[in-house]
Each structure stands twice: as C-alpha cells, then as structure tokens.
C-alpha cells in the first residue's frame, strides 16, 4: 500500500484502494461483533456467570442475532425532533470512528496510509464524533437526551486535552508525528518502547482514553440511573446501532493507537523473537489492551460527574504538562 500512494491515481489503483477499504470495514465490523461477545463472556467469567451460550455453538452467534435484531427493528423518529439532524447525528459519530483506523500501521508493510501528521489526523477526526453526540441529544427534542449530550461533550473535551498533551512527549523524543516512524523508533526490545521513558504520559493517556471511549468507570453520558439512557435515548433500530458501533470501533482504534505509540507496535519484546511475524505481536498487544478495557468494566464502579471533571482538569492535565517539561529536561541533559 505505501508504494501505491506514491503513484498517480489510475483505475487499477483506485480499485485496490476500494478493495482495501472494504476489507478494513469487514475486519472492523467483525471485531465489533465479536468484541461484544467476548466482553460479555469475559465479564461473565470474572463475575462467576456463564455469559451468552444459547445462539450458536458456545453462543458465538449471539452478537450476530443482536445486530440482526437492531437492523430489522422499526426505526422511530420523535414527531417534534429535528428530523434531518436526528438522522445525520449517528452518521457524524460513526464515520470519523472508522476513518481514524486508516492511520494505524499493523506491520511494517501492512499500512493503510503513511501520514506525516498521523497523530494530528487521528486527534482531529476523533474530535468530530463529539459533534455527532451533541447533535443527537439536541435534535431529539428531549431534555434528558440533551443533558446526556452536553455531559458527553464536556467529558470528551475535558479528556481530549490531556490525551493529546500526553502524546507530546513521544513526538518530542521521536521528532515526528508519523505513526510508522514512532514504531520504528521502538525497535530492539521492550526497553526501547515508549511506555518506559514516557510512563507518566502512558498513565495519563490510558485514563484519558478510557474516558474518551465513554466506558466504565467514566460512562457518565449513558448514566441510565440519572439520564434514562443519555444522548441516544430517543434512538432505536439501526440508528441506535450506529452509536454503539462507533463506541466499539473507537475501542479498536484506541487499542491500535496505544500499541503503536507506547508498546512497540509490531516489534517483538525481545530481539531473538523477531522471527515471529510482526502482525502476531501487534495482535497480542492489541488483544491485551482490549481485555484490559473489559476488565475495567467488570470491576470498577461509575464515578460521579464532579469526580470525573476534577480528575481531568486537576490531576491529568497538570501531569501531562509535567511530562512535557520532564521530557524536555531529559532531552536537554542527554544532548
């Protein structure tokens, strides 16, 4: 794929790009379908329950049945809702979630796009989803949906700031925002991976990423005990499925980005293990991060909204700024 990007666009190249896009879409949709299944299984295992076991062997078709049910359910739109914006909101939320996946390099050659501003591209596009969430809450003409949308916007904006600042240390050390270059700089063993010199940034990034995903313990936008179901309370059928799909696609994107930025991407943890294909190492690290997100949901209670905002502005933001100064000081001394 990187070689094709240097060539002029021909019909053959266009068809290759189109086929690659379809393949990536199928991979991501397959991940979403079975991430839901494995999340329910993992949480069931941790809480001494069985989990899905009825539809298909070992319950493997349970998520397929759930998705099918959502797609064929009646699509209802409130009579006094802003119809056009109500329809548009799930699309605005989902499209950026899928687009950011294009920046993640899976191996040295399995790359969708090699952008010199890959980190900036990811951050810029992921922020657009906030607009879709607020729009969905506002267009529903429901005060509870609006409260959920505004709460979600406040949370996502508050945690996007430390999330972005926590990556600055890596950019300073690498001298590039190209994700491929960042991974290449982590070759040679786990002691070269960025999570060690950037341990403060890694901690801030991990916490902020969980909040960005609106997942437990930071699932305040969907606090059903307070807001009925948050910003998508009026949505049903396939439009509701779009919101849920966007959440799990972002799980895919955040797990891939964390692997790329902090855990060496496709590189082996020890040099003598480099004979194992890079995609295997990437998937192992990726799967561990996804499991960690499931683990958090099974064990931690939801925090209060004041605790959520206080953590973002009073703890994570100062730590992210301190990480930049510590990195700059280290680089000045090392040089």
């Amino acid at each position: 794929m990187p070689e094709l990007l240097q060539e002029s666009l021909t019909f053959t190249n266009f068809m290759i790009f189109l086929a690659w896009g379809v393949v990536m879409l199928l991979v991501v949709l397959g991940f979403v379908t079975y991430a839901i299944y494995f999340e329910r299984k993992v949480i069931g295992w941790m809480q001494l329950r069985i989990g899905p076991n009825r539809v298909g062997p070992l319950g493997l078709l349970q998520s397929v049945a759930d998705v099918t049910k959502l797609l064929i359910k009646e699509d209802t739109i409130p009579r006094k809702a802003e119809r056009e914006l109500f329809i548009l909101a799930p699309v605005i939320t989902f499209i950026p979630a899928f687009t950011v996946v294009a920046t993640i390099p899976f191996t040295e050659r399995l790359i969708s796009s090699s952008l010199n501003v890959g980190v900036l591209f990811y951050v810029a596009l992921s922020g657009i989803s906030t607009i879709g969430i607020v729009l969905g809450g506002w267009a529903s003409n429901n005060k509870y949906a609006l409260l959920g949308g505004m709460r979600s916007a406040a949370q996502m904006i508050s945690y996007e700031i430390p999330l972005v600042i926590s990556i600055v240390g890596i950019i300073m050390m690498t001298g590039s925002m190209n994700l491929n270059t960042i991974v290449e700089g982590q070759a040679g063993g786990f002691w070269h991976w960025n999570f060690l010199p950037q341990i403060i940034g890694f901690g801030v990034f991990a916490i902020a990423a969980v909040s960005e995903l609106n997942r437990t313990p930071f699932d305040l936008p969907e606090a059903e005990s307070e807001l009925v179901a948050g910003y998508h309370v009026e949505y049903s059928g396939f439009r509701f499925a779009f919101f849920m799909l966007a959440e799990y696609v972002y799980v895919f994107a955040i797990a891939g980005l964390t692997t790329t930025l902090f855990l060496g991407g496709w590189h082996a943890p020890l040099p003598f293990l480099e004979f194992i294909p890079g995609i295997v190492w990437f998937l192992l690290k990726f799967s561990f991060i996804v499991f960690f997100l499931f683990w958090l949901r099974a064990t931690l209670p939801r925090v209060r909204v004041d605790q959520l905002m206080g953590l973002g502005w009073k703890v994570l933001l100062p730590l992210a700024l301190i990480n930049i100064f510590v990195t700059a000081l280290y680089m000045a001394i090392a040089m």
Side-chain angles (χ1 to χ4, degrees):
M1 292 298 291
E3 292 81 1
L4 289 175
L5 296 175
Q6 308 300 323
E7 301 176 8
S8 58
L9 185 62
T10 64
F11 179 75
T12 304
N13 287 352
F14 172 75
M15 293 306 295
I16 293 174
F17 287 138
L18 183 62
W20 178 246
V22 171
V23 169
M24 283 302 301
L25 178 63
L26 293 176
V27 168
V28 172
L29 291 178
F31 165 82
V32 169
T33 302
Y34 283 97
I36 297 170
Y37 167 79
F38 282 110
E39 179 169 18
R40 296 169 69 181
K41 275 292 189 182
V42 167
I43 293 177
W45 167 64
M46 289 182 173
Q47 298 176 347
L48 298 180
R49 294 185 288 104
I50 296 174
N53 69 337
R54 295 290 183 181
V55 185
L58 303 176
L60 284 169
L61 298 179
Q62 181 64 58
S63 294
V64 177
D66 292 339
V67 171
T68 305
K69 179 188 71 174
L70 281 174
L71 293 178
I72 63 177
K73 280 184 71 173
E74 180 183 2
D75 176 38
T76 59
I77 299 178
R79 183 167 55 87
K80 294 187 177 181
E82 292 284 346
R83 186 179 180 87
E84 292 78 11
L85 298 180
F86 187 87
I87 293 171
L88 189 61
V91 179
I92 294 177
T93 304
F94 168 72
I95 290 179
F98 177 72
T99 307
V100 296
V101 175
T103 63
I104 298 173
F106 299 100
T107 68
E108 190 173 4
R109 298 189 60 81
L110 191 57
I111 301 169
S112 297
S113 60
S114 181
L115 300 176
N116 289 331
V117 289
V119 175
L120 186 62
F121 180 84
Y122 181 97
V123 172
L125 277 182
S126 62
I128 296 176
S129 293
T130 308
I131 300 174
I133 289 173
V134 175
L135 204 60
W138 183 81
S140 298
N141 197 24
N142 179 312
K143 61 183 178 182
Y144 296 108
L146 179 59
L147 283 171
M150 296 304 294
R151 176 184 281 188
S152 179
Q155 173 179 333
M156 295 179 78
I157 292 171
S158 299
Y159 279 82
E160 271 179 7
I161 296 171
L163 181 79
V164 174
I165 296 177
S166 67
I167 304 173
V168 173
I170 293 176
I171 297 172
M172 292 168 63
M173 292 175 58
T174 310
S176 173
M177 286 194 289
N178 188 312
L179 291 172
N180 309 319
T181 306
I182 291 173
V183 175
E184 289 165 1
Q186 300 177 74
F190 71 88
W191 51 90
H192 293 293
W193 295 357
N194 288 329
F195 83 94
L196 289 174
Q198 289 290 309
I199 189 66
I200 298 175
F202 180 57
V204 172
F205 181 89
I207 297 171
V210 174
S211 181
E212 276 286 285
L213 294 171
N214 292 335
R215 292 181 60 86
T216 307
F218 304 125
D219 56 337
L220 272 297
E222 300 170 20
E224 64 279 351
S225 59
E226 307 162 40
L227 298 171
V228 185
Y231 57 90
H232 50 51
V233 64
E234 296 288 359
Y235 282 88
S236 63
F238 75 95
R239 300 191 202 282
F240 173 78
F242 262 74
F243 280 118
M244 297 302 296
L245 185 64
E247 178 182 324
Y248 278 92
V249 173
Y250 269 124
V251 169
F252 183 99
I254 282 290
L257 188 66
T258 308
T259 302
T260 300
L261 292 174
F262 292 98
L263 301 181
W266 60 79
H267 293 299
L270 297 169
F272 69 87
L273 295 174
E274 290 287 353
F275 68 93
I276 299 176
I279 188 66
V280 174
W281 291 117
F282 184 93
L283 290 176
L284 285 173
K285 299 169 190 176
F286 175 91
S287 300
F288 172 77
I289 296 166
V290 173
F291 173 79
F292 177 74
L293 293 173
F294 296 167
W295 187 6
L296 287 182
R297 181 173 179 180
T299 55
L300 296 181
R302 179 184 295 137
V303 300
R304 296 196 315 264
V305 65
D306 60 310
Q307 295 172 329
L308 174 80
M309 302 304 286
L311 177 65
W313 290 106
K314 297 178 182 178
V315 180
L316 296 187
L317 181 57
L319 281 176
L321 293 172
I322 289 171
N323 182 61
I324 293 177
F325 288 114
V326 170
T327 303
L329 184 62
Y330 168 77
M331 291 178 68
I333 295 173
M335 291 176 64

